[in-house]
Amino acid sequence: MAQSNRKDKPQGPAVTVAVVAYNSGETLARCLEKLAAQTYRDFELVLVDNASPQGEAQAAAQIVPGTRLIENAENRGFAGACNQAAEAGRGQWLALLNPDAYPEADWLEQLVAATARHPDVRSFTSRQVMDEDPGVLDGLGDVMSLPCIPYRGGYLQPDPGDTPEGEVFSPCGAAMLIDRALFLELGGFDEGFFCYCEDVDLGYRLQLAGEPTVLVPSAVVRHVGSASSGGAKSEFALFHGYRNRFWVLAKDTPALLLPLVLPTHLLAAAYVAMRPQNRPYLGVTLKAYRAAIAGLGPVLKRRRAVQATRRRSALGIARAMTWNPRDLTGRRAVIRVRPTSR
């Protein structure tokens, strides 16, 4: 069950903001300038540089006074670097922000205010809009479909502007807030994922632990997306996306749901891969699934640990998912309004 987030104020800042940089020279400075302009000031910034060839983090770290810079000798991926920031942080709350996500001035203020409105919630996510056109959504939290194909709710749909505050399946790691102790208790991000879907895996584990995630529509970021990995259709992004989605299924799906989820996942993945616009990427799709199967041993070992400690029933997980195939094809946002929302 979710636990209250009302605690005595810890020593140090209330929020640790973690930003991971890798080949982020074109976006990182703008991201940190937006952080420096936040109306909420009780935060520290932990900036982790994943051995960027250009070393852009050193100069950008000067933008936010007091930034703590961690310089890795090798690229540990988004997952590993975020875990480093969480361990190094001193805040009660951990805010994760992509280097190509540009928060509005009251972003942190709105997220922290939501923790007071929802004292039983320890995970929050933001309204993400497209940087090039803020009238179009980048996502309203993450949705989990029956085939275990996650998607950002409302992606590329017009921003309605009147989105209710409520529960979503998973936070999006591009701009989220989580109780840092809870993040560490759950083991942080799964570093085997390296990047892509590590936030969905975390969100699924939050669901299994009975910890809800609340969308805070008033906490807004403008997001570019995949700026450090060559774009959404790069081989890197496609490979890690396909592989890691299958690992989320194998690791997190309750046993009672597997007979439904596994075959529909494989059918849906085959259908998507064979669509005319995706056929040029069929080779990387097959490569990703071969890698997913080859790496199943460690994933299934982690599955045993996750399933042994879950507190929510398979029925509860099923209710948190969407079973309507039109939701997946239309990327409909799925938000369950909480009685305490106002």
Side-chain angles (χ1 to χ4, degrees):
M1 298 296 292
Q3 301 176 21
S4 172
N5 61 39
R6 296 189 185 280
K7 302 176 182 177
D8 294 335
K9 181 177 173 59
Q11 296 298 315
V15 180
T16 295
V17 180
V19 176
V20 176
Y22 179 74
N23 283 346
S24 309
E26 296 183 4
T27 64
L28 181 61
R30 182 180 168 196
C31 170
L32 299 194
E33 286 166 0
K34 294 294 185 181
L35 271 178
Q38 290 295 297
T39 56
Y40 184 85
R41 305 305 307 167
D42 192 11
F43 74 91
E44 64 174 351
L45 172 61
V46 179
L47 176 60
V48 184
D49 179 65
N50 260 336
S52 298
Q54 304 303 320
E56 63 271 15
Q58 289 80 359
Q62 306 305 312
I63 296 173
V64 179
T67 294
R68 300 162 65 194
L69 176 62
I70 298 174
E71 298 180 83
N72 286 333
E74 60 182 6
N75 187 351
R76 293 189 55 180
F78 182 76
C82 284
N83 290 347
Q84 282 181 285
E87 291 281 0
R90 298 173 296 151
Q92 175 188 347
W93 295 96
L94 175 67
L96 303 180
L97 185 67
N98 274 11
D100 62 352
Y102 312 126
E104 296 295 323
D106 64 346
W107 173 67
L108 271 179
E109 181 179 348
Q110 294 294 338
L111 285 174
V112 173
T115 69
R117 289 194 299 275
H118 304 281
D120 60 329
V121 176
R122 298 196 282 172
S123 172
F124 299 85
T125 195
S126 310
R127 177 199 294 267
Q128 297 173 198
V129 297
M130 303 299 291
D131 179 54
E132 64 271 23
D133 185 355
V136 176
L137 288 170
D138 179 68
L140 297 169
D142 287 347
V143 183
M144 180 58 73
S145 65
L146 171 62
C148 200
I149 296 179
Y151 64 91
R152 291 203 294 275
Y155 181 68
L156 295 183
Q157 302 300 315
D159 185 356
D162 59 351
T163 305
E165 190 169 270
E167 292 186 19
V168 294
F169 188 89
S170 171
C172 176
M176 62 175 283
L177 182 76
I178 186 170
D179 184 291
R180 191 171 65 88
L182 174 62
F183 182 83
L184 294 172
E185 176 187 327
L186 291 175
F189 286 137
D190 186 333
E191 297 187 20
F193 283 52
F194 195 74
C195 64
Y196 288 97
C197 290
E198 72 289 309
D199 53 349
V200 177
D201 169 63
L202 174 69
Y204 210 136
R205 286 184 283 130
L206 285 166
Q207 289 284 348
L208 293 169
E211 296 281 354
T213 292
V214 165
L215 166 72
V216 185
S218 57
V220 181
V221 298
R222 296 172 64 144
H223 189 215
V224 176
S226 301
S228 299
S229 57
K233 289 293 187 179
S234 69
E235 180 174 345
F236 181 91
L238 289 172
F239 173 85
H240 286 83
Y242 279 116
R243 184 195 68 176
N244 292 354
R245 280 197 295 268
F246 189 78
W247 281 354
V248 169
L249 183 161
K251 177 181 174 184
D252 300 322
T253 307
L256 287 177
L257 296 180
L258 276 174
L260 283 172
V261 172
L262 180 57
T264 55
H265 176 90
L266 296 175
L267 287 172
Y271 169 76
V272 170
M274 295 308 298
R275 295 181 69 181
Q277 63 268 37
N278 293 326
R279 286 177 189 169
Y281 310 107
L282 185 58
V284 69
T285 302
L286 294 173
K287 178 182 176 183
Y289 274 94
R290 285 196 295 268
I293 293 170
L296 264 183
V299 173
L300 293 177
K301 182 177 179 180
R302 296 194 292 273
R303 171 189 172 83
R304 288 191 288 272
V306 168
Q307 298 298 326
T309 58
R310 71 179 173 96
R311 300 176 183 174
R312 198 169 186 191
S313 68
L315 179 59
I317 296 298
R319 287 173 173 167
M321 300 165 65
T322 178
W323 290 56
N324 187 340
R326 292 184 178 180
D327 288 347
L328 174 58
T329 57
R331 306 206 179 203
R332 185 179 74 89
V334 178
I335 305 164
R336 294 173 173 85
V337 180
R338 312 184 87 226
T340 55
S341 295
R342 61 178 185 271

